Amino acid sequence: MNRSLLFIFTLFAFNNALACQFDDVTFDSDFSMARLDSCEKLDTHQYHIGIHPENEPVNPSPWYSFKVHSKQDATVRLKMTFNGNYPRYFPKISYDGVHWQGIPFSTENKAMWFSINTSQKPLWVSAQEVINNAEYEVWLNKMSALTANAKLELLGNSEQGRPINALVQQTPGNHEWLVVIGRQHPPEVTGAMALFGFSEAILTDKALQQRFSQRFNLLLVPDVNPDGVEQGNWRHNANGVDLNRDWKKFAQAETRLVRDKLASIVKAGGKIVFAVDFHSTYHDVFYTMPEDYPIAPKNLMNDWLAGLANNTKWAFKANVKPGSNPDNGVFKQFIADQYQVHAVTYEVGDNTNRQLIPYVAQQAARVLVDKLLATGEKDFNLKP
């Protein structure tokens, strides 16, 4: 290849540089959740994009998100590499950052190739749909306005000073609490979609909300890792820590804030009865505690997942994987050990149908409320 065609622009970590510009094509990373680490011109309208993790070691979940525009309409061919890792997410494009579509791609060794049509109008290219911190703020305000006895509460600030916001839906006289958290891992957007569907069913379905709030309160913390989300991290928070391995050490502000809120609920006479932590992985799976683990009530998790399977069997099938590792520091283990009740890591497949995700999550919420209401208050305590 003619070396005169080769230009390399290496961006500073955490998107400090905003663009890499060639003769007629510009790649931008000047937006929330962007990740674009290096740009290299290989040939006319052919470029190499390099994506690097925030730090290492790291779970190999390469997140990428950037914008492209050109002075003239062009078909641009991109090669993407991921710091020696295989790609996890299939490329998607958008002209507005809201509506997304997948595009054809191919792989060669650990590189991914695809073509895009560019123009003067910026085109978004992203590993998954972009759901950033600002969208959580808008959504939380909307949910609190639609739900009786709901309020927004600032739990505190992240390691870099971003707000960790919670929606607290509490009915006077109720002291049993359902806990819902999400987005510990920044790229796990399908988990965020499921959290929205699950929470909206409880908060805005009038019949379901009325039944739920007659007995239970809700603590909802949808965006636990706003620093990682903002920076487009693969996995970690601003300090390079996997938050879902920090629920034993509590070395990070984000986990401490949620821990302390739960402790304050119990101190005020509340009882944590169930917790759901939304994530994404390669396929739909529910990570639960083992059936013989000392949590109560014994059959609640199985009854919930069996009811969900029955309601969605025509369209959906998820794996259930029980497991316990007290030293891993994951949220579900913390809940089980600290409060002796069930918790689940609700994992949504990266490529699960986008219409199916909210449907299943809504069904999951409805079945769970039914099962919780059918459980006596004393049954949430371990028998002596």
Side-chain angles (χ1 to χ4, degrees):
M1 181 179 68
N2 187 336
R3 297 298 295 178
S4 65
L5 294 176
L6 181 63
F7 302 89
I8 299 178
F9 292 77
T10 301
L11 304 185
F12 296 106
F14 303 122
N15 305 316
N16 286 331
L18 303 180
C20 41
Q21 187 170 357
F22 299 92
D23 294 338
D24 57 349
V25 177
T26 298
F27 297 86
D28 290 311
S29 59
D30 185 17
F31 60 93
S32 177
M33 284 191 69
R35 180 158 290 270
L36 172 66
D37 296 291
S38 66
C39 310
E40 175 185 352
K41 185 171 182 178
L42 301 176
D43 209 332
T44 302
H45 290 160
Q46 187 172 115
Y47 303 91
H48 172 206
I49 301 298
I51 304 297
H52 302 284
E54 58 272 17
N55 65 295
E56 293 182 293
V58 66
N59 178 284
S61 302
W63 172 264
Y64 54 94
S65 193
F66 51 89
K67 296 179 184 177
V68 188
H69 69 272
S70 55
K71 294 178 181 178
Q72 305 292 330
D73 291 357
T75 298
V76 172
R77 182 75 171 162
L78 296 183
K79 173 187 179 181
M80 294 193 67
T81 58
F82 308 97
N83 200 44
N85 295 285
Y86 287 100
R88 170 172 168 177
Y89 301 109
F90 304 159
K92 300 167 184 64
I93 61 170
S94 173
Y95 289 96
D96 60 6
V98 176
H99 302 93
W100 296 85
Q101 65 182 71
I103 58 174
F105 68 96
S106 63
T107 59
E108 182 179 340
N109 296 323
K110 295 180 179 180
M112 182 167 64
W113 290 83
F114 55 89
S115 297
I116 52 176
N117 295 320
T118 63
S119 66
Q120 293 182 3
K121 181 179 181 179
L123 175 70
W124 302 55
V125 178
S126 190
Q128 296 280 52
E129 299 88 337
V130 171
I131 299 176
N132 60 25
N133 295 321
E135 291 186 55
Y136 282 106
E137 182 178 357
V138 170
W139 181 77
L140 281 170
N141 280 306
K142 179 181 177 181
M143 292 299 102
S144 65
L146 292 173
T147 308
N149 298 316
K151 65 175 183 178
L152 296 182
E153 181 177 330
L154 175 64
L155 300 186
N157 294 318
S158 68
E159 289 287 341
Q160 287 191 331
R162 293 184 175 87
I164 307 290
N165 293 310
L167 185 146
V168 178
Q169 196 266 321
Q170 184 174 10
T171 302
N174 290 356
H175 59 273
E176 295 171 285
W177 289 79
L178 170 64
V179 178
V180 176
I181 72 167
R183 209 62 183 276
Q184 295 199 68
H185 299 146
E188 297 182 4
V189 169
T190 56
M193 295 174 181
L195 180 146
F196 290 154
F198 182 93
S199 303
E200 287 172 12
I202 293 176
L203 293 169
T204 66
D205 182 315
K206 291 184 179 179
L208 189 64
Q209 165 57 204
Q210 184 177 27
R211 294 174 58 234
F212 176 82
S213 62
Q214 285 177 348
R215 180 174 165 189
F216 297 103
N217 302 317
L218 175 67
L219 173 66
L220 169 61
V221 192
D223 188 14
V224 174
N225 188 0
D227 295 344
V229 169
E230 182 66 25
Q231 295 168 352
N233 286 355
W234 291 20
R235 182 81 168 182
H236 299 152
N237 75 341
N239 290 338
V241 174
D242 183 341
L243 293 181
N244 204 32
R245 300 297 182 271
D246 191 50
W247 293 92
K248 186 172 183 179
K249 295 180 179 178
F250 294 101
Q252 304 303 303
E254 295 87 350
T255 53
R256 290 196 300 270
L257 288 169
V258 178
R259 176 201 63 185
D260 292 349
K261 177 58 182 178
L262 296 175
S264 72
I265 287 173
V266 173
K267 185 177 180 180
K271 167 68 177 174
I272 309 301
V273 298
F274 200 93
V276 187
D277 179 17
F278 284 90
H279 288 260
S280 306
T281 189
Y282 297 96
H283 55 276
D284 301 301
V285 58
F286 294 92
Y287 290 112
T288 65
M289 297 303 295
E291 290 187 25
D292 60 353
Y293 207 76
I295 48 181
K298 182 178 179 180
N299 295 321
L300 177 58
M301 184 67 70
N302 287 341
D303 290 346
W304 173 47
L305 295 178
L308 174 62
N310 184 65
N311 282 17
T312 59
K313 60 185 177 183
W314 62 275
F316 172 79
K317 182 178 180 180
N319 295 316
V320 179
K321 293 188 176 181
S324 171
N325 191 327
D327 295 324
N328 264 11
V330 300
F331 177 75
K332 76 176 179 73
Q333 184 86 41
F334 162 69
I335 292 292
D337 291 341
Q338 182 70 23
Y339 298 108
Q340 292 80 52
V341 296
H342 288 277
V344 61
T345 308
Y346 186 131
E347 299 265 12
V348 184
D350 297 330
N351 303 307
T352 298
N353 183 282
R354 283 2 185 202
Q355 289 177 283
L356 188 63
I357 292 171
Y359 168 75
V360 172
Q362 290 160 11
Q363 292 297 317
R366 294 186 178 105
V367 175
L368 180 59
V369 170
D370 286 343
K371 300 303 179 184
L372 291 175
L373 288 169
T375 303
E377 183 175 342
K378 293 181 179 180
D379 293 330
F380 287 110
N381 300 311
L382 283 174
K383 300 295 189 298

